[in-house]
Amino acid sequence: MSTNAYSYGIHRGISAGELFFYIAVDKTREELGLDDLAAAAAILLGQNDVPVGGKLAGAVAGTSVVSMAARKFLPFRVAVRLPTIVKAGAGGLRIAMTRSLGAFVGRTIPVVGTVMLGADAFLIMRNTLFTYNRMVKPEDRIL
């Protein structure tokens, strides 16, 4: 790391690492909005934390609030079996097929929320790197 000093906003005489941090905070503030709140809500409402009985052995325990609501408001059967993610984690991804439109929507909403937050994280880092590399001297640039 070099000994170059930079300025950003009210901050003067900061190092390249500190400059990167302040730019990242600023870009995060710019990016976060109502769509991120909706994405976080989709993820939280999609958690399998509502206990239910009558599940077969090997089934994922519990159900989610969004899945219960979707099954209630979309009690339709479709002609084809639709793939849904029922469990994702360090142990891998578990896919289940369903003909219930409500189950499909209920299981898909948290996935959409996760994709939205992932896209935001990508945009924040891309914009941070772009702004940082534009502001610093060539020896302090990243990538």
Side-chain angles (χ1 to χ4, degrees), residues 86-98:
V86 292
K87 187 174 184 180
L93 198 63
R94 188 161 164 202
I95 308 278
M97 304 298 279
T98 184

Side-chain angles (χ1 to χ4, degrees), residues 33-46 109-110 112-114 116-117 120:
L34 289 179
D35 56 334
D36 297 292
L37 187 59
I43 293 170
L44 291 174
L45 289 173
I109 286 175
V112 171
T114 302
M116 288 172 65
L117 287 180
D120 283 339

Side-chain angles (χ1 to χ4, degrees), residues 67-82 98-106:
S67 186
M68 291 185 330
R71 289 170 194 260
K72 180 178 179 180
F73 294 115
L74 298 169
F76 309 109
R77 309 276 302 160
V78 293
V80 296
R81 294 175 56 163
L82 302 169
T98 184
R99 284 197 165 107
S100 168
L101 183 60
F104 176 75
V105 170

Side-chain angles (χ1 to χ4, degrees), residues 57-69:
V60 176
T63 191
S64 67
V65 173
V66 74
S67 186
M68 291 185 330

Side-chain angles (χ1 to χ4, degrees), residues 1-2 4 6 8 14-24 27 124-143:
M1 206 73 180
S2 72
N4 295 328
Y6 298 98
Y8 187 76
I14 58 177
S15 69
E18 291 169 321
L19 176 64
F20 185 85
F21 173 77
Y22 289 124
I23 292 171
K27 295 302 175 184
I124 289 167
M125 287 314 302
R126 186 194 68 180
N127 293 339
T128 299
L129 282 171
F130 178 76
T131 303
Y132 173 82
N133 283 336
R134 215 179 55 225
M135 294 179 73
V136 298
K137 295 177 180 168
E139 62 267 19
D140 289 331
R141 289 191 180 140
I142 299 173
L143 301 175

